[in-house]
């Protein structure tokens, strides 16, 4: 009778281990590259959303203040908004830096300019402003036309601050 020797395989060979490590390293490199790309895109999207959010907040605040105002006076670089409650707001923009009541609203690298004009349209007083906002390589121009509630056009101030 011939005995058969059965060899028990209790482990992996060196070739199998090296092949598994090579496949694992390729998969991990693809995952890490994808993660780095997605992280970069998320940062860029977050900056873009922040930019448009800041523009929208400023535009809404300016629109609401001008709409609710009892009187305004403006120059090329300032806007004084007067309310019934005597809670006046002074917008000023010099060298691109916007200040409201002498407090800076945005970061120093932001540029904000506002151009204000008024007219009579269909026997109603109309104020129009153009808002320019720039941050790094992004810029946006927005405008609004407001039919004012007051029967008299506001006086343009002749003084510069």
């Amino acid at each position: 009778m011939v005995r058969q020797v059965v060899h028990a395989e209790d482990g992996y060979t060196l070739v199998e281990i090296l092949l598994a490590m090579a496949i694992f390293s390729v998969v991990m490199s693809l995952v890490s590259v994808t993660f780095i790309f997605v992280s970069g895109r998320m940062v860029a999207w977050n900056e873009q959303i922040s930019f448009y959010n800041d523009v929208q907040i400023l535009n809404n605040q300016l629109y609401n203040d001008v709409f609710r105002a009892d009187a305004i006076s403006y120059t090329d670089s300032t806007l004084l908004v007067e309310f019934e409650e005597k809670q006046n707001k002074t917008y000023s923009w010099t060298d691109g830096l916007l200040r409201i009541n002498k407090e800076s609203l945005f970061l120093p690298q932001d540029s904000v300019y506002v151009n204000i004009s008024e007219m009579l349209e269909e026997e109603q007083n109309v104020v129009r402003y153009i808002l320019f906002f720039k941050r790094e390589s992004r810029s946006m121009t927005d405008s609004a036309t407001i039919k004012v509630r007051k029967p008299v056009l506001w006086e343009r101030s002749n003084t510069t601050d």
Side-chain angles (χ1 to χ4, degrees):
M1 184 174 322
V2 178
R3 288 184 167 196
Q4 287 186 337
V5 179
V6 178
H7 297 281
E9 295 184 23
D10 290 331
Y12 299 104
T13 64
L14 182 60
V15 173
E16 291 172 332
I17 292 173
L18 289 176
L19 183 62
M21 286 177 57
I23 291 172
F24 179 74
S25 65
V26 167
V27 169
M28 286 308 292
S29 66
L30 290 174
V31 167
S32 65
V33 166
T34 303
F35 177 75
I36 290 170
F37 174 76
V38 169
S39 295
R41 292 305 313 151
M42 291 300 289
V43 167
W45 289 333
N46 189 30
E47 289 172 358
Q48 187 172 1
I49 288 170
S50 173
F51 171 78
Y52 289 116
N53 190 34
D54 287 347
V55 171
Q56 190 64 39
I57 288 170
L58 176 60
N59 193 23
N60 286 345
Q61 183 174 356
L62 188 60
Y63 183 92
N64 289 334
D65 286 346
V66 170
F67 182 75
R68 292 183 321 118
D70 288 328
I72 67 169
S73 57
Y74 61 92
T75 65
D76 291 337
S77 62
T78 61
L79 168 67
L80 174 64
V81 183
E82 299 177 23
F83 302 106
E84 283 181 7
E85 309 90 32
K86 301 298 178 197
Q87 298 175 349
N88 300 340
K89 277 190 184 176
T90 303
Y91 291 82
S92 64
W93 51 93
T94 51
D95 297 327
L97 185 61
L98 177 69
R99 296 183 186 278
I100 297 178
N101 293 337
K102 298 185 179 179
E103 293 183 23
S104 182
L105 189 62
F106 295 107
L107 300 173
Q109 72 266 17
D110 296 342
S111 294
V112 180
Y113 295 99
V114 182
N115 183 5
I116 302 168
S117 60
E118 55 191 350
M119 64 195 95
L120 194 62
E121 185 177 286
E122 298 174 4
E123 296 186 21
Q124 275 194 306
N125 299 329
V126 175
V127 172
R128 178 174 174 81
Y129 68 84
I130 300 171
L131 171 68
F132 174 76
F133 190 83
K134 182 174 189 216
R135 178 179 294 158
E136 296 171 356
S137 62
R138 291 185 179 93
S139 64
M140 184 172 179
T141 303
D142 200 0
S143 63
T145 303
I146 305 167
K147 292 186 178 182
V148 297
R149 301 176 298 151
K150 304 298 173 190
V152 178
L153 280 175
W154 298 313
E155 296 296 321
R156 179 183 171 116
S157 175
N158 292 328
T159 61
T160 59
D161 294 329

